[in-house]
């Protein structure tokens, strides 16, 4: 994972007297693990409105400040809000972590306007890291990381645990799929290290033969 490049873009944020900016790319894949929900959502909402396509993976590991008991009570009160005469007309309360994150970001854009609708269409949220995003570069948002923004020792709630407590039924399946993904990633990385070691060994073996060639290339600026 790499930190977001907060250097060149049209969008900027101010946190603790520091200004951060993001670079507009075709698609940003953000790893939601250990981010605070509200802070992450505010940064993503701003980027969506600026025209950036954003994908958030591992939404089940996004965090909310506060104890699990407190957040369960708050979510139970939230789920109790409904239309008195016909609850089937909404509001709808999602149980999947990815939809919880999506709904939080939806509340930060004017999603009933044309601009907000287009912005929300640029957002995708997922539990785990499905293909093809498991083989793409993932970034984090330093301004929203729990270890940066939450005081050490403060209680926090993992969104996947909260979702599991209110009826989300796919926690075990997701853990199984994530274990499989991590095993495949570890195997790929071990092969990559072996290949790199063989390359270094081959370069060292023929360093003497390539000395003159390297001199010519360095003189040419390569």
């Amino acid at each position: 994972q790499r930190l977001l490049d907060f250097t060149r873009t049209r969008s900027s944020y101010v946190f603790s007297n520091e200004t951060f900016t993001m670079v507009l790319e075709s698609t940003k894949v953000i790893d939601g693990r250990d981010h605070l929900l509200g802070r992450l959502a505010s940064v993503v909402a701003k980027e969506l409105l600026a025209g950036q396509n954003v994908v958030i993976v591992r939404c089940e590991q996004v965090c909310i400040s506060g104890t699990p008991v407190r957040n369960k009570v708050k979510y139970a009160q939230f789920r109790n809000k409904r239309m008195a005469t016909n609850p089937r007309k909404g509001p709808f309360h999602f149980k999947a972590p990815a939809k919880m994150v999506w709904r939080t970001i939806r509340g930060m854009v004017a999603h009933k306007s044309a601009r907000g609708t287009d912005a929300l269409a640029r957002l995708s949220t997922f539990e785990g890291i499905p293909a093809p995003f498991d083989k793409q570069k993932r970034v984090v948002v330093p301004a929203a990381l729990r270890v940066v923004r939450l005081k050490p020792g403060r209680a926090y709630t993992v969104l996947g645990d909260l979702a599991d407590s209110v009826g989300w039924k796919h926690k075990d399946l997701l853990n199984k799929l994530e274990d499989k993904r991590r095993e495949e990633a570890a195997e790929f990385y071990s092969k990559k290290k072996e290949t790199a070691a063989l390359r270094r060994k081959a370069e060292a073996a023929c360093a003497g033969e390539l000395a003159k060639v390297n001199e010519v290339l360095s003189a040419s600026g390569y």
Side-chain angles (χ1 to χ4, degrees):
Q1 298 175 7
R2 300 182 182 180
L3 297 180
L4 280 180
D5 185 4
F6 285 110
T7 51
R8 306 160 295 161
T9 191
R10 301 175 298 178
S11 302
S12 62
Y13 314 97
V14 178
F15 295 100
S16 301
N17 298 324
E18 297 178 5
T19 302
F20 302 95
T21 55
M22 289 179 68
V23 179
L24 291 181
E25 296 180 358
S26 57
T27 301
K28 283 274 190 194
V29 182
I30 298 177
D31 189 347
R33 178 178 177 271
D34 222 27
H35 285 69
L36 290 176
L37 176 60
R39 291 182 179 273
L40 175 64
S42 64
V43 172
V44 171
K46 189 73 173 180
E47 284 306 302
L48 294 172
L49 291 170
Q52 175 69 59
N53 292 312
V54 178
V55 175
I56 305 177
V57 296
R58 291 212 277 192
C59 290
E60 78 283 354
Q61 296 191 33
V62 172
C63 299
I64 308 173
S65 61
T67 63
V69 173
R70 173 182 171 84
N71 283 308
K72 287 177 183 177
V73 171
K74 288 176 66 177
Y75 202 77
Q77 294 172 344
F78 171 65
R79 290 185 67 195
N80 202 35
K81 298 180 185 298
R82 60 178 188 154
M83 184 177 180
T85 55
N86 190 356
R88 289 179 297 178
K89 291 189 176 181
F92 305 106
H93 313 291
F94 301 112
K95 298 178 182 178
K99 295 299 288 184
M100 290 181 182
V101 174
W102 179 86
R103 195 182 197 277
T104 303
I105 297 171
R106 188 190 69 175
M108 297 184 181
V109 299
H111 68 279
K112 293 186 179 182
S113 67
R115 179 174 179 241
T117 301
D118 292 341
L120 205 59
R122 301 186 195 104
L123 173 67
S124 299
T125 56
F126 298 96
E127 292 95 9
I129 309 179
F133 307 114
D134 56 340
K135 293 180 174 60
Q136 295 180 10
K137 184 185 77 171
R138 300 184 293 276
V139 296
V140 300
V141 181
L145 286 172
R146 178 184 59 82
V147 293
V148 176
R149 290 296 162 186
L150 203 60
K151 184 177 179 180
R154 293 294 188 185
Y156 64 92
T157 306
V158 179
L159 197 59
D161 297 337
L162 178 63
D164 185 59
S165 69
V166 297
W168 181 51
K169 300 179 180 179
H170 305 294
K171 184 178 180 180
D172 294 336
L173 174 61
L174 180 63
N175 291 336
K176 181 179 178 181
L177 294 174
E178 282 293 280
D179 290 340
K180 181 180 178 182
R181 179 189 64 80
R182 281 188 284 265
E183 290 176 3
E184 293 176 351
E187 183 180 355
F188 169 80
Y189 184 59
S190 63
K191 290 182 179 179
K192 182 179 179 180
K193 288 195 295 183
E194 292 175 2
T195 304
L198 291 174
R199 180 184 178 88
R200 288 193 299 268
K201 185 177 180 181
E203 290 176 349
C206 61
E209 301 176 6
L210 297 176
K212 294 182 179 180
V213 177
N214 290 332
E215 290 179 3
V216 175
L217 290 174
S218 61
S220 302
Y222 294 98

